[in-house]
Amino acid sequence: MGFKRNILITGGAGFIGSHVVRLFVNKYADYHIVNLDKLTYAGNLANLKDIEDKPNYLFVKADICDFAKLQELMNGYHVDGIIHLAAESHVDRSIKDPFTFAQTNVMGTLALLQAAKLYWESLPEGYEGKRFYHISTDEVYGALELTHPEGVEPPFTTTASSAEHHLAYGKDFFYEDTKYNPHSPYSASKASSDHFVRAFHDTYGMPTIVTNCSNNYGPYQFPEKLIPLFINNIRHRKPLPVYGKGENVRDWLYVEDHARAIDVIFHNGRVADTYNIGGFNEWKNIDIIKVIIKTVDRLLGNPEGASLDLITYVTDRKGHDMRYAIDSTKLQKELGWEPSLQFEEGIEKTVRWYLDHQEWMDHITSGEYEKYYEEMYKNR
Ligand code: NAD
Ligand code: DAU
């Protein structure tokens, strides 16, 4: 069957990638979706069980650093669109092993850019619709100061416009033109890959787009990240390791809303442009942790506050960025996207999903994961 578009999604077996693949496969029956993933510890084909037999879907196990394989795929599947999510994504791991992050996030992105460039240059002049869409993070912008006034209850922001936030709280956000200032090896590697993507536009005229998103939460997230880790630990009555004083602020977006934004931007975003994606939903870690505890306890039928005693303050993450806060006004105004879920609804759905999918969690948290956990948390 001839497809209208041939899209390569990298990292589609990971957390966000699996939501993007699912959305595209289900929504666009006339697109062929090739999901390229190396299946590292973070990649899991169980995340895509419901769509694996669809006629417009194909999984290919490959490494984005394998340039010959990328060329073969570009040519073999006539790829005209790339949505690039494959990456090493966990800050704590990058602090322990920065080399893997440079290899995958920088060299892998470069290999993908070059493979796309060579294939697209071989197409007839005027071939429309080519897109190299690179998924990046708000962490490349660095860190903002903690300026929430005393007595303001979480969440610190509402879904009002950013201008109103400024007036209400007199504080700063990450904008599309905020200067890059990454601090962790993870964010440095993502910043570097963003620069390569933009350089390929500026030098070779590649039709690129970059988006920078805030913290995602929702189903299928690997339990090294705060929310699934804490849900699982509460269920097993294990300590909840809060880094430092728990005062760091993150801006949380439900993962399906990120996937919807990617869909809108892939189709309607301006080439060579950048869009920030976020839900104006900032929380101090300790406050979000209390919400998680309350929700898990309620859903497990425990008395309110039963798991509060699991909170354990541990040594802070090295170079821990204090606050991230995305201004996504441009995306909202220009392309009409907005988050569909309020946080209360999103966190309820998320906790329920993890409690209802214990098998998924147990499968991941056996074997290698135990070694990781022991190693990562032993000296904290
Ligand atoms: P994840 O760690 O859950 O998934 C990453 C996927 O990439 C995995 O399936 C893994 O197997 C695959 N992968 C890793 N190295 C590879 C390689 N060399 N070749 C091919 N595949 C490889 O990550 P995630 O949280 O879903 O993040 C996806 C992307 O979104 C990343 O680029 C990340 O930087 C970005 N991002 C994440 C968040 C977040 O909150 N999770 C927020 C903003 C941006
Ligand atoms: O901002 C976007 C980024 O969000 C993405 O680019 C990254 O890929 C993603 O991992 C995420 O990075 P964070 O470092 O913000 O996420 P993490 O879940 O690791 O941590 C969230 C906050 O919780 C952070 O301030 C550190 C803290 N934390 C985390 C863990 C794992 C703890 O206090 N204890 C923990 O055990």
Side-chain angles (χ1 to χ4, degrees):
M1 166 178 171
F3 287 100
K4 190 167 151 201
R5 299 208 61 175
N6 296 294
I7 297 174
L8 180 70
I9 300 182
T10 70
F15 166 47
I16 302 171
S18 61
H19 289 275
V20 176
V21 166
R22 178 175 296 101
L23 187 150
F24 272 70
V25 166
N26 286 332
K27 185 168 173 186
Y28 302 108
D30 52 352
Y31 289 7
H32 189 223
I33 306 301
V34 178
N35 170 14
L36 179 163
D37 198 295
K38 186 181 172 182
L39 298 183
T40 66
Y41 76 92
N44 185 354
L45 288 178
N47 298 359
L48 290 165
K49 268 254 152 289
D50 53 322
I51 56 121
E52 66 185 8
D53 294 327
K54 296 266 179 167
N56 62 336
Y57 173 69
L58 179 77
F59 173 71
V60 177
K61 184 173 186 307
D63 188 332
I64 51 165
C65 300
D66 183 347
F67 182 61
K69 183 73 186 175
L70 295 178
Q71 282 192 296
E72 184 192 312
L73 292 175
M74 292 296 303
N75 285 285
Y77 294 107
H78 309 290
V79 173
D80 53 23
I82 295 178
I83 305 178
H84 175 37
L85 296 113
E88 290 292 335
S89 69
H90 191 37
V91 174
D92 290 324
R93 287 187 193 251
S94 81
I95 294 167
K96 280 207 183 296
D97 172 23
F99 285 104
T100 320
F101 284 71
Q103 178 64 18
T104 290
N105 299 359
V106 186
M107 295 307 290
T109 300
L110 182 53
L112 194 59
L113 282 162
Q114 182 70 1
K117 171 180 174 287
L118 292 184
Y119 175 62
W120 290 345
E121 280 174 354
S122 76
L123 295 175
E125 185 108 355
Y127 189 98
E128 292 296 322
K130 302 183 296 284
R131 276 276 141 110
F132 189 107
Y133 180 176
H134 177 62
I135 308 299
S136 192
T137 169
D138 59 0
E139 301 200 12
V140 296
Y141 295 126
L144 298 166
E145 284 185 28
L146 199 59
T147 53
H148 300 102
E150 284 301 314
V152 176
E153 292 298 314
F156 297 109
T157 57
T158 67
T159 47
S161 77
S162 66
E164 284 166 50
H165 295 311
H166 272 290
L167 292 177
Y169 302 114
K171 62 189 192 180
D172 205 4
F173 285 85
F174 294 139
Y175 304 98
E176 281 83 0
D177 60 359
T178 298
K179 197 166 159 277
Y180 274 28
N181 187 19
H183 299 130
S184 73
Y186 163 69
S187 53
S189 69
K190 290 296 290 185
S192 171
S193 64
D194 296 7
H195 290 318
F196 270 109
V197 173
R198 294 189 177 111
F200 266 62
H201 170 267
D202 296 350
T203 309
Y204 309 111
M206 282 267 286
T208 57
I209 293 190
V210 177
T211 55
N212 300 82
C213 189
S214 64
N215 284 61
N216 286 214
Y217 71 100
Y220 300 114
Q221 187 168 31
F222 194 84
E224 62 191 353
K225 310 281 165 59
L226 180 78
I227 292 182
L229 178 90
F230 277 37
I231 294 171
N232 194 43
N233 281 14
I234 297 168
R235 210 186 76 100
H236 292 286
R237 293 257 342 128
K238 280 173 69 175
L240 304 175
V242 182
Y243 297 167
K245 294 182 184 159
E247 284 185 341
N248 304 66
V249 169
R250 297 291 181 265
D251 180 356
W252 295 92
L253 180 69
Y254 192 67
V255 62
E256 287 179 3
D257 281 332
H258 188 187
R260 282 178 41 251
I262 290 172
D263 178 19
V264 169
I265 295 164
F266 179 76
H267 288 97
N268 304 321
R270 253 194 317 268
V271 163
D273 218 339
T274 293
Y275 298 86
N276 278 350
I277 310 174
F280 290 119
N281 180 44
E282 291 174 60
W283 288 78
K284 265 187 194 168
N285 289 344
I286 192 63
D287 292 326
I288 212 168
I289 287 163
K290 286 180 184 161
V291 172
I292 295 167
I293 291 174
K294 199 171 171 179
T295 312
V296 177
D297 276 340
R298 176 167 49 77
L299 293 177
L300 288 179
N302 297 333
E304 182 160 350
S307 301
L308 280 170
D309 63 328
L310 297 176
I311 291 179
T312 309
Y313 290 92
V314 299
T315 310
D316 208 352
R317 175 183 277 174
K318 288 188 175 73
H320 197 172
D321 286 337
M322 185 46 87
R323 171 174 166 252
Y324 302 143
I326 273 283
D327 182 309
S328 58
T329 306
K330 174 177 167 181
L331 171 61
Q332 301 204 12
K333 288 214 164 122
E334 288 187 14
L335 300 182
W337 170 91
E338 55 180 39
S340 67
L341 283 187
Q342 291 292 319
F343 185 68
E344 288 68 17
E345 210 182 332
I347 203 76
E348 174 92 14
K349 267 177 90 153
T350 303
V351 172
R352 268 187 202 281
W353 189 87
Y354 285 100
L355 296 180
D356 289 348
H357 292 77
Q358 199 52 50
E359 214 174 284
W360 180 91
M361 183 64 91
D362 289 345
H363 182 70
I364 287 182
T365 52
S366 57
E368 278 302 308
Y369 179 85
E370 282 167 30
K371 272 194 253 161
Y372 159 81
Y373 199 87
E374 167 69 16
E375 181 63 26
M376 190 61 80
Y377 290 95
K378 71 179 174 200
N379 293 325
R380 284 197 183 269

